[in-house]
Amino acid sequence: FNAPIAAMNEIVAMVFAIAITACFPAGIAQRVHLRVNILSTYFGEKMSSWLTAIGSLLLFWMFALITWRVGVYAMELYIRDATTMILNIPKSPFLWAVTLLCGISAIVQYVIFAGDVFAACRRSPGLSNVMTTLCLFGGLLTTLIAILIFGDVVIALSTSAKASPVMTALVIFGLVWILLFLLIPIGSVMVLLGFMGMSLLLDTSPALSVVGSEVAAFLTNDQLIVLPLFLMMGVLASAAGLSEDIYRLAQALLGHFKGGLALATIGGCAGFGAVTGSSVATATTIGRVALPEMSQRGYKPSFSTGCVAAGGTLGALVPPSSALVLYAYLTEESIGRLFIAALVPAALGVFLYMLTISAYVRLVPKVVPAPGKFDATELKSELRRSLTVIVLFAVVMGGIYTGLFTATEAASVGVIGAFLIALFRGKLRSGVFWNVMGETASITAMIYVLILGGITISFFLGITELPEFLTKKVAQMDLAPLGIIALLLVVYILLGAVMESFSIMVITVPVVSSLIIDLGFDLIWWGVIMLVVVEIGLITPPFGINVFVLKAIAGADLPLTAVFRGVMPFVGADIVKLILLVLLPALVLWLPSTMFN
C-alpha cells in the first residue's frame, strides 16, 4: 500500500488485451455493431435483410483477417522471444490468447451470418431450403474467391493507385460512405477498406503486417483501459439507482421554481452524465424517471420530452466522457486535459438550458403548472442520499485535476466506488451483477471494433497525404480560419443528425485533425467543440437520435413533430453556447492550463 507495483502498466496491458478481446464474442452475439440506418426504410424489409446478411459476412471477413494477422504477429514475437521492457514478460502467450478469442469471434460471426441468411430467405418467397443452404455455403465460397483474387486485383490497380494517392484516398473514402448507407457495419467497412487502400499503396504483404502490428499495439495500449472502466462505472451507477438520486436531489433543489421539474431534469441529466458519459444512455435513463413525474404534475408532453432530449446531450459532454476518450486516442491528446477542458462548457450548457427554460415558461406559461413550495427537510434528505454520487464525482475528477490520479487510476477508483454503492444498496442481487458485466462487455466490444476501424483507415489516410492535400485546398479558398471552422461545424451538425458521435469521430477525426492543427487551433479546444456540435445534431431534425429515443419512451400518443417542437428552444441555446466557445477559446482552455503537471 505504500509503494507502487513495478511496471504495473505492462501487466495490465497484457491482461486487458485478453479481457477486451474476450468481449468481442458477447458483442457479436448481441449484434451491437453500429450501422447507419438512414435509408433502411427505403430499402424495404426484403432488401434490408439481404444487406444485413452481406454486412454480417463482411464482419466475418474482418474478424478472420484480424485473427490471421494477429496470429502471424504472435508467431513473429515468439520467434524473436520478445518480452516486455521492464519485467521481461513474454508477449507471445498473451497474443496467442488474443488470436484464439478473435478466432472464436469469427466463428460466432459466421453463425450470425447464417442466421441472417435464413432470415433473408424466409422474407424472399420462392426460395427453397436447398437454396438457403446454397446461400449459406456461398458465404464460404465468396470468402475463398475473395482470398484467391485479392492479390491479382491489387496488382491490377496498384500502379494507378500509387500514381495518385490522394485520388485513391478520395475513392476509398467515397466507398466508405456508400457501404455505410447500404447498412454495412461501420467497423467492418473501415477495417476492410483501410486494408484494401494500404494494399494498393504499400502492396499486400506490408499491409497485412500493418494490420497485425497495429491491432496488437492497440489492444495492448494501457492508456485505453480507461474506456471500458468508465463504461463499467456508468453501468454500475445506473444499476445502483444513482440516476433517481440525482433527479430527486435536483427536484428538491429546483422544484419550487416555475418550471422546476424541467430545471431538475436538466440538473439530473448533467449529474447522471458525470457517471455515465453517454448522451443516449442519459436521455433514456433520466427520461424514464422524469417523464412520468412531469406528466403527473401537468407539464405539456412536448416541452417535457424536449427538456429530456436536450438534457441528454449533456451526458457526453460532462466528464468523464467516453467520446472524449476516443478522441484522445485518435489524436494522441491527454484524456485528463480533455476531461477538465469540458467542465466549463458543460456548466455553460447547463446554465443556458436552465435560462431557456426560465424564459420559455414565462413566455408560454401554460406549458407548466404552478410552482410548488420549497421543502428544506426534503432537500436535506435527498442531499444525504445523493452524497455518495457527489463524492464519487468529486474524487474522480478532483483526482485527475490535482494530479493525484492518472485518468486510468481515476476510472478504477470510479468503478470500485460505483460497485460498492450498488453492493451496499443491495442492487446487484438476482443476476443484476452479471447483467452489468454483460452490458459493459457488449458496449466495450462495439466501441473497440469502431476504434479498430478508425486506426486502420487512419493509417491508410496518413500514407496518402490526403490531410495535407485538403489543407492546401482549404488555404486556396482564401477563407479566414473561423470561416473554415464554421463550415466544419455545419457539416458536423448534419452528421450528428444522422449518426452517433463515436461513428462520426472514427470516420472524420483522422482527416480533420491535421487541418485543425494547420489552421493554428488547439486540438483540446477542437475536441470539445466537435463533441458539442455533434451533440447538437442529436436533437435536430430530421433524424435526431435523442428525439427518437424520447418518442419511444413517451409512447405512440405523442407525435414526433411535437417532440421536435419541444426541443427547438434548446437547439437555440446550443447555438449560443457553440458561438461562445468558438469565439472565446479560453472557456475551454483556461481550466486545463491550471492543472497540476
Side-chain angles (χ1 to χ4, degrees):
F1 286 103
N2 65 0
I5 300 174
M8 184 63 180
N9 63 314
E10 293 185 353
I11 301 171
V12 170
M14 291 301 172
V15 172
F16 255 80
I18 298 173
I20 294 301
T21 317
C23 294
F24 289 167
I28 293 169
Q30 297 183 48
R31 307 181 69 97
V32 298
H33 302 294
L34 288 180
R35 307 169 192 261
V36 178
N37 295 315
I38 307 171
L39 303 179
S40 58
T41 55
Y42 298 100
F43 291 136
E45 189 176 281
K46 178 180 174 181
M47 177 64 75
S48 295
S49 62
W50 281 109
L51 289 173
T52 298
I54 293 171
S56 292
L57 180 62
L58 293 182
L59 270 172
F60 165 71
W61 287 5
M62 182 196 77
F63 281 111
L65 174 65
I66 290 173
T67 302
W68 173 31
R69 295 318 302 175
V70 173
V72 171
Y73 185 69
M75 178 61 74
E76 292 173 356
L77 294 180
Y78 173 76
I79 293 172
R80 298 202 319 256
D81 195 24
T83 61
T84 60
M85 188 172 297
I86 299 174
L87 297 179
N88 294 320
I89 302 172
K91 293 182 177 180
S92 58
F94 295 93
L95 287 180
W96 283 124
V98 168
T99 303
L100 175 63
L101 290 166
C102 286
I104 293 173
S105 302
I107 294 170
V108 174
Q109 182 57 51
Y110 199 81
V111 173
I112 295 293
F113 164 68
D116 288 340
V117 167
F118 282 113
C121 289
R122 281 198 302 270
R123 292 186 176 94
S124 304
L127 286 183
S128 64
N129 290 335
V130 174
M131 189 63 185
T132 302
T133 305
L134 289 176
C135 290
L136 182 58
F137 282 104
L140 292 174
L141 181 61
T142 305
T143 303
L144 180 61
I145 293 173
I147 293 172
L148 292 175
I149 69 171
F150 183 78
D152 294 332
V153 172
V154 168
I155 292 172
L157 299 178
S158 61
T159 302
S160 56
K162 291 175 181 176
S164 181
V166 170
M167 182 56 66
T168 302
L170 292 174
V171 170
I172 294 290
F173 203 63
L175 287 174
V176 165
W177 285 102
I178 291 172
L179 291 178
L180 291 183
F181 286 128
L182 292 176
L183 307 182
I184 308 300
I186 296 170
S188 63
V189 170
M190 306 285 279
V191 169
L192 295 176
L193 287 183
F195 168 65
M196 178 180 290
M198 287 189 289
S199 298
L200 291 174
L201 298 180
L202 300 176
D203 296 330
T204 304
S205 182
L208 289 171
S209 297
V210 167
V211 170
S213 60
E214 288 293 310
V215 169
F218 163 65
L219 291 173
T220 55
N221 187 325
D222 62 296
Q223 297 299 314
L224 264 182
I225 295 168
V226 66
L227 185 52
L229 289 177
F230 275 129
L231 289 173
M232 188 181 297
M233 173 182 163
V235 179
L236 281 167
S238 181
L242 296 187
S243 57
E244 291 87 348
D245 292 349
I246 294 168
Y247 181 70
R248 291 195 185 98
L249 174 62
Q251 184 178 338
L253 187 64
L254 302 168
H256 61 286
F257 293 106
K258 190 172 181 62
L261 281 186
L263 296 172
T265 296
I266 299 302
C269 287
F272 191 64
V275 291
T276 188
S278 167
S279 291
V280 175
T282 300
T284 303
T285 305
I286 297 296
R288 288 172 179 158
V289 179
L291 290 183
E293 188 78 17
M294 297 172 83
S295 176
Q296 184 179 352
R297 300 289 183 90
Y299 280 71
K300 189 174 181 181
S302 60
F303 179 66
S304 303
T305 51
C307 289
V308 181
T313 63
L314 296 169
L317 185 58
V318 177
S321 166
S322 300
L324 288 179
V325 174
L326 174 58
Y327 177 84
Y329 179 77
L330 293 174
T331 58
E332 298 183 358
E333 290 292 333
S334 164
I335 295 173
R337 287 175 62 82
L338 279 164
F339 281 177
I340 299 303
L343 285 173
V344 171
L348 178 63
V350 172
F351 170 75
L352 289 175
Y353 280 170
M354 290 187 172
L355 187 64
T356 300
I357 291 171
S358 299
Y360 192 80
V361 298
R362 280 163 177 76
L363 292 172
V364 191
K366 292 183 179 180
V367 299
V368 297
K373 294 183 179 180
F374 177 71
D375 188 336
T377 303
E378 181 187 8
L379 177 60
K380 291 178 182 177
S381 174
E382 296 300 338
L383 189 59
R384 280 196 302 270
R385 183 171 178 81
S386 301
L387 191 60
T388 50
V389 68
I390 295 171
V391 171
L392 182 65
F393 177 74
V395 169
V396 170
M397 295 310 302
I400 293 175
Y401 179 78
T402 60
L404 181 62
F405 305 141
T406 65
T408 303
E409 291 164 351
S412 303
V413 170
V415 168
I416 297 300
F419 171 75
L420 291 177
I421 293 170
L423 183 66
F424 288 136
R425 290 185 174 186
K427 299 290 188 178
L428 298 180
R429 299 169 183 166
S430 303
V432 173
F433 174 78
W434 297 112
N435 291 336
V436 167
M437 295 300 103
E439 185 176 349
T440 303
S442 298
I443 299 173
T444 299
M446 176 194 74
I447 295 175
Y448 267 71
V449 168
L450 277 178
I451 303 177
L452 283 173
I455 61 175
T456 307
I457 204 78
S458 179
F459 191 96
F460 161 66
L461 293 175
I463 62 177
T464 63
E465 300 181 352
L466 178 63
E468 292 83 353
F469 171 79
L470 292 178
T471 301
K472 291 179 182 178
K473 288 297 182 182
V474 168
Q476 293 172 4
M477 294 171 63
D478 199 27
L479 287 175
L482 283 180
I484 298 169
I485 292 295
L487 289 177
L488 289 174
L489 296 182
V490 171
V491 171
Y492 273 105
I493 288 177
L494 295 176
L495 289 176
V498 297
M499 294 176 66
E500 201 266 344
S501 55
F502 287 108
S503 309
I504 296 170
M505 286 187 175
V506 166
I507 295 170
T508 63
V509 166
V511 176
V512 174
S513 57
S514 298
L515 177 60
I516 296 299
I517 293 173
D518 288 334
L519 289 173
F521 293 103
D522 191 294
L523 281 180
I524 294 285
W525 171 81
W526 176 248
V528 174
I529 293 294
M530 183 170 67
L531 183 57
V532 167
V533 75
V534 167
E535 296 299 307
I536 292 174
L538 293 182
I539 57 174
T540 53
F543 301 109
I545 296 173
N546 275 18
V547 174
F548 284 94
V549 168
L550 267 298
K551 169 67 174 68
I553 295 175
D557 294 337
L558 182 66
L560 187 63
T561 53
V563 186
F564 274 121
R565 191 164 56 248
V567 86
M568 291 315 293
F570 300 97
V571 174
D574 277 332
I575 298 299
V576 172
K577 175 178 66 177
L578 184 61
I579 292 172
L580 289 174
L581 295 178
V582 170
L583 296 181
L584 301 172
L587 292 173
V588 177
L589 298 176
W590 169 73
L591 203 53
S593 69
T594 66
M595 285 179 66
F596 176 85
N597 293 315

